[in-house]
Amino acid sequence: MQLPAQAAKEDPQVPQTLDAAAVRTWCSLALDALGRDREEIDAINVYPVADGDTGTNLYLTVESAARAVEAVFDAHATGTSVPDLPDTVRAMAHGALIGARGNSGTILAQLLRGMAEVLGEDRADRGNGADGAARGGGDHLARALHRAAQLAREAVAHPVEGTILTVASAAADAAARTRPTADGATGDGAAYGDGAAVHAAYAGARVALAATPGQLAVLGRAGVVDAGGRGLLAVLAALVEAVTGDAPSPVAPGARPHELPAVVESCDADDSPAGPAFEVIYLLETDEPGIARLRRRLDALGESLVVVGGDGLWNVHVHVDDAGAAVEAGVEAGRPYRIRITHFGAAAGHQRERAQRAVVAVVPGEGLAGLCAEAGATTVLARPGEPPASGELVDAIRRAHAHEVVLLPNDAELRHTAAAAAEQARAEGIRVALIPTRAAVQGIAALAVHEPGRRFDEDVVAMTSAAGATRYAELAVAERQSWTMAGICQAGDLLGLIDGDVAVIGTELAATAETVLDRMLSAGGELVTLVLGQDVPDTLAERLERYVRDGHLAVDTVVYRGGHQSAPLLIGVE
């Protein structure tokens, strides 16, 4: 079977069009290109934060888009039909939205969403061929690129020239200039189709990219082009090849002045002022009024705010000093999930220096995610009923950007998943120690004694000891009648699980919690940790604090808000 792009290359009279098969090829080629160029793009990442991960973030974003497109084709694999262009581009945009990483990855997701809005228009409005290809020609693709650039700028709270936004706008403008003139000819005299439009877009983006060091001072001082723009150029080159079959000549890393400036080995740390400490990213389910309130709140909290999406689902990206407040803003606006909080750490040179040691912790709620992030950990949020996969843990280990990583799974069910992630990270040259924490309160205890300055083995031993010395419990609601070690429970009963086993069956939260505390403290203890779920009132914490104080004078109590978590109450006793 011949790909549409190949057929167009062999017969110049055949209009070169972006159809569903070409979109699939585009995603595959873009992923390959970013895989090859990832380290080079990471190395020139100096704006907005010199954290050396733009290439990686773009790769992960396109990888998610490509997966979504493959899923559409897999759904048609057993039948005689093939996906049409609207379904394919919408899947691509949705995949990018839910998998977007970092500042540039989030903007790229919005660019793809803008293209999908135009390319996914009702085919009856423009005519359609039997193969599902759009018959709008290059004008239709030019409008798609224009809409993409427009939506991306609207998504960024404070657009800056000399960035991926500038490169996207230049690509759209160049594609628009190839539209037919009054006498029906295009600017270069070629047949006006998608092929002419993508060639023009790529050429315009390449010129714009070369000019970015003169538009943004931090790029000029470092002697590099914008990393996000460089990544977008790779994506556009893949689009050219997918539509026309012609691969543009590669951008040479050392060429000047009209190609990519040489990657510099260092850049004065004073080139850019110290920015916020955390990058916060999450998906959010909310409506338009909710997202408008969120934009105002986050714009006041931090910088590099990008909010992309629509139709009730949004991807939120912001750099802040108070990670917990950024997540709380999402909770107030709607339902946040897939929350990722990354501590930037100290920057040295144009790229964030790899830290000696870091901690990666899986947490059951956004409240604990903020708490652990403020303690310097990279967090992975485990939604109720949706534990993270090993790939998510490996991604978090990479984001921690350290030679040595302590991994806290904080769930007995994650032990095999965490072990697989640790093995993969070790194969990449990262020294990983897996502490088999079985509950979030054990992870909190381990993090409390973490000292990056001491020897790795000593730190791991101390953290393991602290976790092992912490008994854990949770109060959960029984979903059905069943046998337990404490007797028969009915659906709706409260279950007090101590170290993973049902020890108490009750009907009222406070009374059941007091019974659980009595059981746990009968063996002694110095500190009680209470983690309250989203809907649990503060009065419960006050009651339990009094209960512990009255019955155990030498025991202290600390209380944290866990946010949306599977259990209404988590308890730890050290």
Side-chain angles (χ1 to χ4, degrees):
M1 181 177 178
Q2 193 176 46
L3 288 175
Q6 293 173 321
K9 184 178 179 182
E10 293 172 7
D11 184 359
Q13 300 304 313
V14 177
Q16 299 171 323
T17 59
L18 182 67
D19 60 6
V23 170
R24 185 188 196 185
T25 302
W26 177 25
C27 288
S28 176
L29 292 172
L31 193 60
D32 288 345
L34 290 170
R36 291 191 304 269
D37 298 344
R38 180 182 60 80
E39 291 184 1
E40 175 191 310
I41 296 171
D42 283 345
I44 62 171
N45 174 200
V46 300
Y47 182 86
V49 177
D51 51 353
D53 63 359
T54 292
T56 300
N57 288 336
L58 288 169
Y59 177 87
L60 292 171
T61 302
V62 172
E63 182 181 46
S64 183
R67 271 201 219 101
V69 169
E70 287 303 315
V72 171
F73 274 83
D74 288 345
H76 287 76
T78 57
T80 57
S81 64
V82 295
D84 62 11
L85 179 64
D87 286 345
T88 307
V89 293
R90 286 169 189 153
M92 173 184 66
H94 182 73
L97 174 68
I98 63 175
R101 306 296 178 93
N103 192 73
S104 294
T106 309
I107 293 173
L108 177 61
Q110 191 74 338
L111 288 168
L112 296 179
R113 177 180 175 83
M115 293 189 69
E117 277 192 13
V118 176
L119 297 175
E121 290 171 352
D122 186 355
R123 286 168 294 167
D125 293 340
R126 64 180 186 273
N128 197 65
D131 62 354
R135 296 302 182 197
D139 182 67
H140 194 244
L141 185 53
R143 288 193 297 109
L145 291 168
H146 173 75
R147 180 58 176 158
Q150 179 187 38
L151 273 190
R153 284 186 178 271
E154 292 174 357
V156 178
H158 303 285
V160 174
E161 295 305 326
T163 65
I164 185 174
L165 297 175
T166 304
V167 177
S169 294
D173 291 344
R177 287 195 295 270
T178 63
R179 289 172 177 170
T181 59
D183 60 0
T186 59
D188 59 4
Y192 184 61
D194 285 350
V198 296
H199 271 299
Y202 175 78
R206 189 159 179 162
V207 171
L209 178 66
T212 56
Q215 295 173 295
L216 197 54
V218 65
L219 301 178
R221 289 193 294 269
V224 297
V225 295
D226 178 66
R230 173 65 180 85
L232 178 59
L233 190 68
V235 173
L236 290 173
L239 178 59
V240 172
E241 186 173 0
V243 172
T244 70
D246 298 323
S249 58
V251 176
R256 290 179 180 270
H258 299 299
E259 295 182 356
L260 178 66
V263 175
V264 295
E265 294 299 327
S266 64
C267 172
D268 293 338
D270 293 336
D271 278 353
S272 54
F278 301 101
E279 177 185 60
V280 179
I281 303 174
Y282 49 81
L283 292 178
L284 180 70
E285 292 179 355
T286 189
D287 53 16
E288 292 284 351
I291 210 67
R293 292 192 300 272
L294 179 70
R295 287 180 191 272
R296 291 192 294 270
R297 176 82 183 278
L298 292 182
D299 195 24
L301 279 176
E303 57 189 48
S304 296
L305 173 61
V306 184
V307 180
V308 305
D311 301 322
L313 180 62
W314 310 80
N315 191 306
V316 180
H317 169 280
V318 68
H319 296 171
V320 292
D321 281 320
D322 190 343
V327 176
E328 288 171 8
V331 173
E332 293 172 3
R335 188 175 79 89
Y337 59 100
R338 292 197 184 181
I339 300 171
R340 294 190 296 273
I341 301 175
T342 304
H343 187 272
F344 284 125
H350 75 283
Q351 182 175 345
R352 178 163 64 99
E353 190 71 25
R354 186 176 291 273
Q356 183 59 34
R357 190 172 311 152
V359 177
V360 172
V362 179
V363 290
E366 62 275 358
L368 290 184
L371 174 71
C372 293
E374 289 171 5
T378 296
T379 62
V380 178
L381 187 69
R383 294 179 62 198
E386 296 184 25
S390 61
E392 291 180 75
L393 299 185
V394 173
D395 178 38
I397 292 171
R398 292 171 182 149
R399 285 189 288 119
H401 205 61
H403 296 288
E404 302 166 341
V405 172
V406 180
L407 178 59
L408 305 174
N410 296 337
D411 186 338
E413 299 298 320
L414 285 178
R415 60 188 184 278
H416 297 306
T417 301
E423 280 302 312
Q424 183 173 340
R426 290 178 188 128
E428 297 177 7
I430 304 171
R431 188 180 184 188
V432 181
L434 171 61
I435 297 179
T437 49
R438 293 172 290 174
V441 290
Q442 289 189 322
I444 293 172
L447 194 55
V449 301
H450 168 55
E451 291 186 13
R454 62 185 164 198
R455 291 178 57 248
F456 184 62
D457 292 338
E458 293 175 356
D459 198 32
V460 171
V461 168
M463 295 176 72
T464 303
S465 177
T470 302
R471 299 190 69 195
Y472 63 95
E474 68 174 272
L475 269 69
V477 178
E479 297 181 357
R480 66 183 73 87
Q481 183 188 63
S482 60
W483 290 88
T484 75
M485 294 184 65
I488 300 176
C489 70
Q490 304 297 323
D493 282 348
L494 282 166
L495 306 180
L497 292 86
I498 300 177
D499 294 337
D501 295 322
V502 177
V504 178
I505 299 175
T507 57
E508 197 268 327
L509 184 59
T512 307
E514 289 173 350
T515 303
V516 169
L517 283 168
D518 281 339
R519 299 275 186 96
M520 298 180 76
L521 289 170
S522 64
E526 299 176 354
L527 177 66
V528 170
T529 300
L530 304 175
V531 182
L532 277 62
Q534 177 69 25
D535 299 323
V536 176
D538 291 333
T539 53
L540 175 67
E542 295 167 359
R543 173 174 168 173
L544 295 180
E545 283 184 282
R546 285 195 305 271
Y547 187 80
V548 172
R549 184 171 59 248
D550 293 344
H552 307 273
L553 295 177
V555 179
D556 294 324
T557 304
V558 294
V559 179
Y560 301 114
R561 275 285 176 187
H564 291 283
Q565 56 188 38
S566 58
L569 180 66
L570 306 177
I571 301 174
V573 174
E574 300 177 45

